């Protein structure tokens, strides 16, 4: 729900109807990327703070500086905050805005992937490594070569290949990369450089990772999201087109690419037969939450599937002070996902 429509909300009533409660309340957390590593749930969220930046459509108010890792023995158990895992001051190339991260595990090492703005004002994606899923993580000196934009999500396929999905429009700057290099032309408006409503929407990107998981093994490729007729979704199809918050999971041999529609506040999914797509739009996973942004991950824990997501109910609607939550997902027999309404207990 956009910030201008929260004035009338009775948060005590809303919380009674909420299908789940914040997993941690001592800090604000968002953009939860959940993984089941070695029999335990690890959540890699953004760590929201109020840095006093004014709200704008480029997301300047999301001025996060560090990451904490949260773990849980099961979805019903206490969520434990393992403290500082990485701070922007320890990342040579990054100046600010530590946005939605993700993590991967390979051969006893753990990799934290994160977007941040460099000193040139351009978002890139970095990686930091640890021997522990909780960190602390040691960052690589440079951002991943050929990375750009925001919201990395790293997916491990059953054959042991890893792929990074990423991208985000408006404040995530994807629209500035339409020619293959960063378009620094003014105006710095969130909607400048976007396609027209009747043109195909901007697409998220995927790249296979190198064996050491530190770089892209190939030039990032766009991934297509198609409608029921096999046509690309259009830029004006705001209720279905990709905005940010890419995630990939595999269910019954199919590849489910899920994402946020941003300004219409849905989490949607599209289904394909391989990691590169194309993906056909399948429907909504989550209806709008309190707060402007919606961001999620999908993780299997002991045979059940869960949606990790966030809302701004704990902060009573402050868009950049969010809290991570979890709820179960239900698949229909045909592989479609039932839409979750976050406030209908
Ligand atoms: O948390 C900052 C940004 O807000 C994320 O990168 C987006 O996905 C949105 O949740």
């Amino acid at each position: 729900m956009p910030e201008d429509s929260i004035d009338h909300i009775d948060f005590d009533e809303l919380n009674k109807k909420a299908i789940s409660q914040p997993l941690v309340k001592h800090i604000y957390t968002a953009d939860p990327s959940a993984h089941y590593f070695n029999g335990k749930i690890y959540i890699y969220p953004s760590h929201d703070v109020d840095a006093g930046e004014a709200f704008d459509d480029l997301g300047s108010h999301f001025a996060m500086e560090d990451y904490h890792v949260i773990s849980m023995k099961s979805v019903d158990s206490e969520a434990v905050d393992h403290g500082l895992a990485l701070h922007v001051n320890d990342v040579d190339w990054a100046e600010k805005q530590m946005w939605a991260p993700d993590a991967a595990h390979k051969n006893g090492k753990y990799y934290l992937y994160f977007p941040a703005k460099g000193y040139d004002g351009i978002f890139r994606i970095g990686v930091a490594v640890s021997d522990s899923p909780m960190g602390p993580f040691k960052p690589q000196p440079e951002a991943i070569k050929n990375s750009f934009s925001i919201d990395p999500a790293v997916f491990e396929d059953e054959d042991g290949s890893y792929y990074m999905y990423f991208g985000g429009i408006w404040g995530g700057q994807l629209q500035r990369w339409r020619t293959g290099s960063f378009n620094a032309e003014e105006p710095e408006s969130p909607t400048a450089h976007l396609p027209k409503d009747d043109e195909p929407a901007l697409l998220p990107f995927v790249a296979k990772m190198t064996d050491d998981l530190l770089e892209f093994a190939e030039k990032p490729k766009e991934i297509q999201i198609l409608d029921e007729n096999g046509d690309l979704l259009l830029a004006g199809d705001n209720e279905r087109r990709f905005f940010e918050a890419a995630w990939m999971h595999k269910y019954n041999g199919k590849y489910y690419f899920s994402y946020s529609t941003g300004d219409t506040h849905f989490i949607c999914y599209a289904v394909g037969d391989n990691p590169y797509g194309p993906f056909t739009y399948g429907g909504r996973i989550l209806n709008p939450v309190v707060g402007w942004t919606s961001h999620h991950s999908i993780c299997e824990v002991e045979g059940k599937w869960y949606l990790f997501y966030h809302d701004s109910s704990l902060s009573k609607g402050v868009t950049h002070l969010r809290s991570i939550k979890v709820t179960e997902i239900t698949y229909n027999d045909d592989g479609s996902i039932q839409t979750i309404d976050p406030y209908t207990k």
Side-chain angles (χ1 to χ4, degrees), residues 30-31 46-48 59 62-64 97-101 115 123 150-152 167-168 172 243-246 260 292-296 310 319-320 322:
D31 310 324
S46 299
H47 175 197
D48 284 355
F62 295 106
M64 297 87 98
Q97 287 175 279
M98 303 285 264
W99 284 13
F123 266 116
I150 59 165
D151 290 2
F243 189 101
E244 63 187 3
S260 165
W292 199 97
T293 68
S294 196
H295 192 123
H296 70 301
H310 70 223
T319 266
H320 61 285
R322 302 161 291 179

Side-chain angles (χ1 to χ4, degrees), residues 176 185-190 192-193:
R176 291 185 171 271
E185 248 172 59
E186 297 296 333
E188 205 196 351
S189 130
H193 314 294

Side-chain angles (χ1 to χ4, degrees), residues 148-163:
F148 54 92
S149 198
I150 59 165
D151 290 2
V154 175
F155 164 71
E156 179 187 357
D157 207 349
E158 282 158 316
D159 67 358
S161 305
Y162 289 74
Y163 300 86

Side-chain angles (χ1 to χ4, degrees), residues 321-341:
L321 296 179
R322 302 161 291 179
S323 301
I324 56 171
K325 297 182 157 190
V326 61
T327 192
E328 195 174 339
I329 284 182
T330 307
Y331 292 88
N332 297 313
D333 291 344
D334 63 1
S336 56
I337 298 176
Q338 291 184 10
T339 307
I340 295 165
D341 196 325

